[in-house]
Amino acid sequence: MGHRAALSGLLFVAASCKPGIKAFNVDPPCVCKGSEITVSWTVAHGTPHIEVDHPPDDWPGDQPFKSCETRKYHVQENANFVLTVPGANQANGDGRRQQSVNVIVKDAAASANAPTCDDKGAVHMVSGPMPTVSSCGAPVARMHDPSVQKTVGDQVENQTRRVCLLDPGNVQYCVDPGGTGTPIGAVVDGAWKIQIPLTSDESCDGAVPGMATVKFDIDCDKVPHRKS
């Protein structure tokens, strides 16, 4: 009985001394260009090695890493971080893990077609679905600089004029050319609609705007963090 217990203890010690990755995280997974990310890892009984396809400007290069560290970097473009530990099992995740970060621009522009025309209701407009403004759930702080595209005869005209957004709760946000813009404070995605109010001389039977473009300021302080 004592021999079995001793053998079991030896097996446990041998197993616990195997090299491997205990934790690896890059957070947040999406940031605005030039913003800070936190890279952290914990490795047992091995030497960590991290490769990045698009290294941050302040990446240390060949500088060795400790087995347990947290470091902060500033990223300029999308990057994929791969942590490996030599001698660890690569098949079950003990020896290799990867994390990525998506980089977006703070001042983004989004264009949307508005194929639906309504000139019979109380408000005459053309409308259509909005694309997702940020691919990682970053909220829009403000929209500004609206413009529309309208076909007049054989020519396509770009006009600066009023554009509105309608959120899933039917709350309308409108912005006029010039000025400081309109606060949004929410994630803008495909559940939203873009609307272009028609002028008094426009109707669904004639030439109406077909596409709208609005510029957005992304709220870089409110990008969601990675779930642990």
Side-chain angles (χ1 to χ4, degrees):
M1 192 71 179
H3 176 71
R4 289 183 178 179
L7 180 60
S8 175
L10 288 173
L11 291 174
F12 174 77
V13 171
S16 64
C17 290
K18 289 183 178 180
I21 301 171
K22 301 302 180 184
F24 181 44
N25 196 43
V26 176
D27 193 61
C30 179
V31 294
C32 288
K33 185 175 181 179
S35 294
E36 186 178 78
I37 60 170
T38 300
V39 182
S40 59
W41 64 89
T42 301
V43 168
H45 309 291
T47 302
H49 178 71
I50 303 177
E51 291 187 355
V52 193
D53 57 354
H54 298 106
D57 295 338
D58 41 3
W59 187 250
D62 295 332
Q63 178 182 336
F65 295 111
K66 297 179 181 178
S67 60
C68 181
E69 279 195 84
T70 296
R71 296 190 179 192
K72 296 183 182 296
Y73 301 104
H74 295 83
V75 290
Q76 303 295 331
E77 56 184 322
N78 295 348
N80 189 48
F81 295 76
V82 179
L83 170 64
T84 57
V85 176
N89 190 335
Q90 302 290 322
N92 64 1
D94 285 349
R96 184 181 188 277
R97 295 188 191 177
Q98 67 179 32
Q99 296 277 7
S100 61
V101 58
N102 185 35
V103 176
I104 58 176
V105 292
K106 183 175 182 179
D107 48 343
S111 298
N113 289 320
T116 302
C117 185
D118 181 8
D119 59 6
K120 306 302 180 185
V123 180
H124 299 178
M125 67 178 58
V126 290
S127 61
M130 273 294 298
T132 298
V133 174
S134 167
S135 61
C136 58
V140 170
R142 186 175 63 97
M143 67 174 179
H144 54 95
D145 293 334
S147 64
V148 303
Q149 195 175 83
K150 180 180 179 180
T151 301
V152 180
D154 295 331
Q155 302 296 319
V156 176
E157 297 181 357
N158 292 310
Q159 306 172 347
T160 56
R161 55 187 279 184
R162 185 178 181 86
V163 171
C164 301
L165 297 185
L166 189 69
D167 74 7
N170 291 322
V171 176
Q172 189 181 60
Y173 303 81
C174 295
V175 59
D176 292 304
T180 59
T182 300
I184 299 294
V187 175
V188 177
D189 56 23
W192 290 57
K193 290 183 179 180
I194 196 162
Q195 300 174 327
I196 310 172
L198 299 179
T199 61
S200 59
D201 60 344
E202 292 176 329
S203 70
C204 296
D205 296 329
V208 296
M211 185 175 71
T213 299
V214 180
K215 293 183 179 179
F216 297 97
D217 292 339
I218 305 299
D219 194 338
C220 295
D221 295 328
K222 294 183 180 178
V223 292
H225 288 262
R226 194 182 301 275
K227 295 180 179 179
S228 56

